[in-house]
Amino acid sequence: MAKRETPEVNAGSMADIAFLLLIFFLMTTTMDTDLGLARMLPPPVPEDEEPPPPIRERNVFEVLINANNQLLVEREPMPLSQLKDAAKEFIENPHNLDNLPVREEIEVPIIGVIETTPNAVISLQNDRGTQYQMYLAVQNELSAAYNELRNELAQREFNMDYADLDTERQRAIREVFPQKISEAEPRNVGGGR
Amino acid sequence: MAKFKKKKGGGGQRINTASLPDIVFMLLFFFMVSTTMKEVELMVQTTLPEATELTALEKKSLVTYIYVGVPMRQYQSTHGTEPRVQLNDQFASVDDIQSYIIQERESMRESERPLMTVSIKADYDCEMGIITDIKQALRRSQALRISYSSRQAEDLTYNY
């Protein structure tokens, strides 16, 4: 019997396939970057300093979280899903209501004179027993409220998303809606051990 | 059809392995690129919480990490099962944070010191008590830029 020649698989294009896969993975994998909610802490208060003057109640949006991860917003229980819209309503005060922050005209570079609520402050208090995830979710919803308001304003003024604007326009928009989330000096709100 | 001839006899055919190195190199490159070096050996369990409004921490050299969570199983006999703070490679108490921050700040370039950011990598199930203590310690040591490290979530759907 004649010896049969073994057919060889052509491997010349194997390298091409390998490179194709390599490039595919290079493009699709994201580097493990550290993501997080950025915040600024207030500087420490000197002990002999006098307490700051009280803020008018209509300018404060009070959010309390107890040890059972329940929310009390402006003295009313509220599910987390409604917090963002309530915060937006408070910050913007679109219907100029008496119990929401005072609307004032301020002058902002680029945008010009605009009516907004410069004194609105969100006050956040949590208990020592609050779960970290819940606290962060609340922080997240409040950030989302500010981000949406800024985005809406950016769309109205510049027809662009806030994230796509240049730094000066972003600064102008931040001046209209400054993120003011104040956290009270820690104490037990209730239900903690 | 005539073109498909039935092969006679099994075995004996050698597949060319000249491209095997390519594949191996490809995998090597892939893993080299996609892995990030772990800076410290984690001794606490940190399942990060989820959030949607995230920002990325840009410069790694400006970031100092504080890990908070329940100690891993092999450390539980010596360090308990309550959430603990880990700084660098060892367990620490909240009182150690101040000296740790000062030490980290000293090791930075002077021009970068005001931009120092502290990333709190805490387990989602921690109680806020320990986080509040850490925040107070950070305020005392003038490290005011912080970031609550969390995972990107599509949508926060909660049952609360």
Side-chain angles (χ1 to χ4, degrees):
Chain A
M1 200 169 134
K3 207 184 173 200
R4 226 171 141 265
E5 216 174 289
T6 51
E8 267 191 63
V9 179
N10 184 6
S13 54
M14 198 77 118
D16 299 44
I17 298 167
F19 271 110
L20 197 79
L21 282 171
L22 175 67
I23 291 166
F24 170 71
F25 282 116
L26 273 176
M27 301 304 275
T28 50
T29 48
T30 48
M31 297 262 217
D32 187 24
T33 46
D34 197 12
L35 296 169
L37 282 178
R39 282 284 178 279
M40 285 292 280
L41 295 175
V45 185
E47 277 178 20
D48 51 353
E49 198 183 75
E50 284 183 24
I55 311 170
R56 282 170 67 186
E57 184 158 349
R58 64 181 284 194
N59 288 331
V60 182
F61 186 70
E62 199 182 41
V63 182
L64 306 177
I65 322 169
N66 73 2
N68 300 322
N69 297 339
Q70 289 158 326
L71 280 178
L72 196 72
V73 179
E74 296 282 67
R75 305 207 183 91
E76 298 278 337
M78 182 182 280
L80 184 70
S81 49
Q82 291 170 18
L83 178 64
K84 183 172 76 183
D85 292 327
K88 276 176 75 178
E89 167 98 23
F90 165 82
I91 301 160
E92 203 181 10
N93 190 7
H95 308 300
N96 209 355
L97 298 176
D98 279 342
N99 57 344
L100 294 180
V102 191
R103 284 178 78 91
E104 280 172 33
E105 287 192 339
I106 59 164
E107 183 151 4
V108 178
I110 306 173
I111 300 174
V113 176
I114 186 166
E115 203 184 51
T116 180
T117 54
N119 299 319
V121 175
I122 293 178
S123 155
L124 176 60
Q125 268 184 56
N126 61 274
D127 187 81
R128 287 186 70 85
T130 306
Q131 194 193 25
Y132 181 52
Q133 169 72 76
M134 182 62 190
Y135 168 79
L136 218 61
V138 170
Q139 287 268 19
N140 187 66
E141 293 305 297
L142 297 177
S143 288
Y146 276 108
N147 288 346
E148 280 188 16
L149 284 174
R150 287 173 179 177
N151 239 340
E152 284 164 18
L153 182 68
Q155 285 289 357
R156 273 205 303 277
E157 294 286 330
F158 308 116
N159 269 326
M160 277 162 91
D161 267 347
Y162 171 74
D164 300 331
L165 294 174
D166 55 50
T167 36
E168 274 182 31
R169 288 179 176 171
Q170 282 192 353
R171 191 178 303 147
I173 288 194
R174 276 207 303 274
E175 247 176 75
V176 181
F177 291 120
Q179 186 165 320
K180 282 192 205 156
I181 300 176
S182 134
E183 288 183 63
E185 295 288 320
R187 64 181 146 136
N188 272 346
V189 177
R193 276 177 272 160
Chain B
M1 278 195 264
K3 278 190 178 172
F4 295 101
K5 283 177 194 157
K6 212 177 177 191
K7 280 174 190 152
K8 282 176 198 162
Q13 295 180 2
R14 300 271 287 270
I15 296 172
N16 190 350
T17 54
S19 56
L20 211 55
D22 294 313
I23 298 167
V24 175
F25 270 114
M26 180 192 75
L27 284 172
L28 178 71
F29 286 144
F30 171 57
F31 284 113
M32 274 174 66
V33 167
S34 61
T35 49
T36 46
M37 294 285 167
K38 219 197 275 178
E39 282 131 46
V40 290
E41 192 68 39
L42 266 185
M43 300 194 295
V44 291
Q45 296 163 11
T46 55
T47 311
L48 295 179
E50 291 183 326
T52 57
E53 313 292 316
L54 296 175
T55 45
L57 290 174
E58 283 120 19
K59 267 186 132 183
K60 277 265 160 71
S61 61
L62 300 176
V63 184
T64 307
Y65 295 97
I66 293 178
Y67 302 90
V68 188
V70 174
M72 298 264 190
R73 179 154 292 177
Q74 64 264 39
Y75 302 108
Q76 280 184 1
S77 56
T78 44
H79 293 93
T81 53
E82 284 292 301
R84 294 288 306 265
V85 181
Q86 183 191 344
L87 305 170
N88 278 337
D89 266 333
Q90 52 196 345
F91 286 104
S93 71
V94 175
D95 304 326
D96 300 329
I97 289 177
Q98 210 159 339
S99 58
Y100 171 70
I101 294 292
I102 289 166
Q103 182 196 327
E104 290 285 310
R105 192 185 284 141
E106 290 295 308
S107 67
M108 280 181 185
R109 260 181 286 158
E110 201 147 348
S111 58
E112 288 183 338
R113 281 179 200 168
L115 298 171
M116 177 179 182
T117 308
V118 179
S119 175
I120 300 176
K121 283 179 177 279
D123 193 80
Y124 77 100
D125 203 20
C126 283
E127 290 193 347
M128 277 306 291
I130 189 165
I131 310 279
T132 308
D133 292 342
I134 292 169
K135 276 159 66 183
Q136 291 299 99
L138 290 175
R139 282 177 68 187
R140 280 197 298 277
S141 42
Q142 293 288 342
L144 301 180
R145 291 165 69 96
I146 60 165
S147 163
Y148 301 107
S149 191
S150 36
R151 285 174 296 151
Q152 179 80 53
E154 285 302 312
D155 184 27
L156 283 182
T157 42
Y158 288 101
N159 308 320
Y160 305 132

